[in-house]
Amino acid sequence: MPAIAKLIPEETVFFLCDVQTRFKNAIFGFDELVLAISKMLKIAKVLEIPVVVTEQNPKGLGNTIPDIDLPSLGPLLLATIEKGLFSMVTPEVKTLLHERPQIKSVVLFGIESHVCVLQSALDFIEAGYNVHVIADGVSSCNKEEIPFALARIRQSGGYITTSESAAFQLQRDAGVPGFKLFSNVIKEEKDNTVRTLQKLLQYRAVL
């Protein structure tokens, strides 16, 4: 795995982990988490980055919260996968990635940081992918768990970044025709970004 793992749209898939209705009142900063995820999905649409969604035991925990507008992704939504594994690296996900050998990077966001996100990150790293975890796009029931989960991922070779930093890495160039659409998303999300960072990153040491 290269020491510098740049995000390139054509080589990237977004993975949304288990942001389901039954978690709404249990997860720290859930509303802010949803804002960050919604921004990432807007970026996916502008930059045409495919998205995979998982749902942990949806019969018991519900489906992805409707505040997250999955239908708007259209064909960019590769699959919504029901799982029992804590890790997102299910047989279905392995097949999806095997069919797309150009994919080198996985961008992870969702819950819980110390369970499903962590185990997914470790499995993706072990499989040879560059894993980028969105620090303002993950959370847990207990906020104290989060920095330890992110540290564990970093120790194993993952990359911890923020939603806006990842977005700009993927955009790369202000001189291309699609930049105006990208810029509009960043401007529209400015207040939500501030709210999300202040809520979700205040407890998270990065070093």
Side-chain angles (χ1 to χ4, degrees), residues 135-205:
D136 53 322
V138 298
S139 193
S140 293
C141 292
N142 298 312
K143 64 181 181 294
E144 294 82 4
E145 294 277 8
I146 302 163
F148 292 94
L150 296 179
R152 176 72 172 88
I153 292 167
R154 174 174 282 176
Q155 288 163 356
S156 301
Y159 302 89
I160 311 303
T161 187
T162 64
S163 58
E164 189 153 312
S165 179
F168 274 93
Q169 287 179 67
L170 288 160
Q171 174 60 37
R172 294 178 291 179
D173 189 347
V176 297
F179 178 72
K180 186 173 182 180
L181 288 174
F182 173 84
S183 179
N184 286 343
V185 170
I186 297 300
K187 290 175 183 176
E188 290 167 3
E189 293 293 321
K190 180 180 178 181
D191 291 343
N192 287 339
T193 298
V194 171
R195 174 181 166 185
T196 300
L197 292 173
Q198 289 178 346
K199 180 72 173 184
L200 293 175
L201 297 193
Q202 61 178 317
Y203 300 104
R204 303 178 188 184

Side-chain angles (χ1 to χ4, degrees), residues 67-135:
D67 304 61
I68 297 172
D69 188 7
L70 297 181
S72 71
L73 291 169
L76 290 173
L77 180 59
L78 297 183
T80 299
I81 296 170
E82 179 178 341
K83 67 184 180 68
L85 283 173
F86 294 129
S87 173
M88 300 177 85
V89 187
T90 65
E92 297 93 336
V93 167
K94 290 178 181 178
T95 298
L96 281 171
L97 291 173
H98 180 73
E99 293 169 348
R100 294 164 176 81
Q102 77 278 14
I103 299 301
K104 297 180 181 178
S105 295
V106 166
V107 175
L108 278 178
F109 38 88
I111 55 178
E112 285 187 76
S113 60
H114 65 297
V115 185
C116 296
V117 172
L118 171 61
Q119 292 185 38
S120 300
L122 297 181
D123 283 347
F124 280 125
I125 293 166
E126 187 175 46
Y129 293 96
N130 299 318
V131 175
H132 302 256
V133 178
I134 304 300

